[in-house]
Amino acid sequence: MPYFKDFREFIAALEGIGKLRRITREINKDTELHPVVRWNFRGLPEAERFGFLFENVKGFHGEHYRGAVASAVIAPCLESYALALGCKPTRQAINDRWSQAYKHPIPTRTVSTGPVKEEIHKGDSLLAHGGLHEFPIPMTTNGWESLPRLTGVSWMSRDPDTGSVNVGTYNGVLLGPLQTNVRASPRADLRVHWQKYKAKGLPLPVAAVIGAVPVVSATSITEMPYGVNELAVAGALAGEALDVVRCETMDIEVPASAEIVIEGEIPTDYLIPDPPSGEHTGYTFIDRMAFAFDVRCITHRKNPIWHELVDQFPPSESSVMGNLTREALMSSFLKTSCGIPQVKDVAFHHC
């Protein structure tokens, strides 16, 4: 059975198995959206959770948006995550899919164009639709932060020495129409790339991908050894090569069917203060520094879907996805790499 051709086909399949709710009434992305989604995690057993597609979104100041917001669609529960990987809804099937993907990665296929190029904003037209303000980026920890946050982003950057491309998911905060920050952890591959570009006295080119096929999100959030091609592993999870297209302003190839790609640079000669926000501990982080991300180009589908993850404080989408992925990787590691076939199962807790 062929894998989903894009994020929208996955959304339709999710609805087909009863794991998606379409919200057509007007929803304020800054005050209503995330509290509704969080109820899903705080009030329901994991097996009963589902994802949301908000089709009529407004902002705090009354602004309305084209497109929609998809939230908690990848991993609110095991059944949704299994659908995202294209396998049966069992932990063993998920374990097997990841194990095979690591052993047999499938390189990407370069194409000349794709749906993500339906609209292109760069140069004089970069701010024609408001830059980043064109998109309904939600406030994700209401009452604990003051700015919308980017959560479901796959940040792509290249090692300047080897040419290998990394895909990683890191939080970012919307700072203006052409700027966000990037909260790359100390062990992130993107931080290694930043250090290498810093040594050369150059800014780091980065592409932020939103709304690619779900195997991209699954590999992006997973910690892999440095130099491993996450898009090739994603192709193996999908069972076929992923189509990629070259960015407009840099030599990085991104998923051609993605909803949105934001191209830009991370300066390597300074950091910026990170605005306070609720994080994985459930408390507000303050007095931290983060990378700045300056936008140079935006490409997207018509009426794009903004994808966000319910991130960090457990139980959350990232804890469900992280647990299932880590269980698969650790099970394979113990049985195969360590030669302990007696291992029957591995379990990670949300905390």
Side-chain angles (χ1 to χ4, degrees):
M1 182 177 177
Y3 190 69
F4 310 109
K5 70 178 187 295
D6 56 22
F7 189 63
R8 301 180 184 199
E9 190 169 88
F10 168 68
I11 291 292
L14 201 62
E15 188 172 27
I17 65 169
K19 287 296 181 180
L20 182 84
R21 303 292 188 272
R22 290 180 184 267
I23 310 299
T24 57
R25 82 162 180 87
E26 187 178 82
I27 291 288
N28 189 313
K29 72 177 185 66
D30 297 316
T31 60
E32 296 178 292
L33 190 151
H34 225 261
V36 168
V37 178
R38 274 288 180 184
W39 275 342
N40 198 17
F41 288 86
R42 303 305 292 271
L44 291 176
E46 182 177 322
E48 296 179 17
R49 296 180 198 146
F50 48 84
F52 293 81
L53 185 67
F54 297 95
E55 298 180 315
N56 184 4
V57 183
K58 73 172 184 178
F60 186 76
H61 300 289
E63 60 271 40
H64 285 79
Y65 299 89
R66 294 187 301 162
V69 174
S71 183
V73 295
I74 303 294
C77 61
L78 184 149
E79 188 176 358
S80 296
Y81 186 57
L83 181 69
L85 297 185
C87 66
K88 294 180 180 179
T90 66
R91 290 173 64 198
Q92 187 59 53
I94 292 171
N95 289 359
D96 292 344
R97 180 57 58 93
W98 271 106
S99 178
Q100 289 301 309
Y102 266 109
K103 294 176 183 176
H104 306 289
I106 300 177
T108 57
R109 178 175 51 232
T110 302
V111 296
S112 59
T113 190
V116 76
K117 301 285 189 179
E118 287 177 351
E119 293 193 24
I120 300 174
H121 307 301
K122 64 180 179 179
D124 293 340
S125 70
L126 183 54
L127 285 170
H129 291 172
L132 297 177
H133 291 321
E134 178 180 1
F135 308 115
I137 305 173
M139 196 86 74
T140 64
T141 314
N142 306 77
W144 297 96
E145 58 192 6
S146 58
L147 294 166
R149 183 142 53 111
L150 297 77
T151 59
V153 181
S154 297
W155 299 88
M156 298 184 62
S157 59
R158 184 186 295 277
D159 185 310
D161 300 324
T162 67
S164 65
V165 174
N166 174 253
V167 186
T169 295
Y170 319 110
N171 270 251
V173 175
L174 180 65
L175 300 175
L178 296 179
Q179 190 179 65
T180 76
N181 72 7
V182 185
R183 295 166 165 169
S185 68
R187 62 182 181 274
D189 290 359
L190 182 142
R191 190 172 287 272
V192 176
H193 295 175
W194 184 85
Q195 293 285 0
K196 290 189 173 188
Y197 271 87
K198 179 180 175 66
K200 297 176 184 291
L202 298 171
L204 171 64
V206 176
V209 179
I210 298 99
V213 287
V215 286
V216 174
S217 293
T219 53
S220 179
I221 201 173
T222 303
E223 294 181 8
M224 299 186 187
Y226 188 84
V228 170
N229 188 326
E230 283 89 356
L231 289 186
V233 176
L237 288 172
E240 59 190 37
L242 300 184
D243 287 345
V244 292
V245 63
R246 190 182 185 279
C247 284
E248 297 289 312
T249 62
M250 65 186 71
D251 187 23
I252 292 179
E253 292 183 324
V254 294
S257 67
E259 293 291 322
I260 302 163
V261 170
I262 305 164
E263 303 174 23
E265 295 176 341
I266 296 178
T268 56
D269 54 348
Y270 67 90
L271 300 174
I272 59 175
D274 188 16
S277 65
E279 271 286 352
H280 65 279
T281 60
Y283 294 91
T284 299
F285 280 2
I286 60 174
D287 297 331
R288 295 194 304 177
M289 304 297 286
F291 295 143
F293 175 64
D294 299 320
V295 178
R296 298 287 181 261
C297 176
I298 299 172
T299 69
H300 62 82
R301 301 187 64 159
K302 295 185 182 299
N303 299 315
I305 300 173
W306 183 269
H307 174 219
E308 66 133 19
L309 293 168
V310 178
D311 198 25
Q312 300 293 337
F313 187 67
S316 65
E317 197 173 2
S318 60
S319 72
V320 171
M321 197 179 336
N323 286 354
L324 291 170
T325 303
R326 292 184 190 105
E327 287 167 1
L329 298 180
M330 185 57 67
S331 177
S332 176
F333 171 72
L334 292 172
K335 292 178 182 179
T336 305
S337 301
C338 296
I340 314 175
Q342 295 87 353
V343 171
K344 298 300 182 185
D345 204 357
V346 176
F348 278 74
H349 299 285
H350 284 278
C351 59

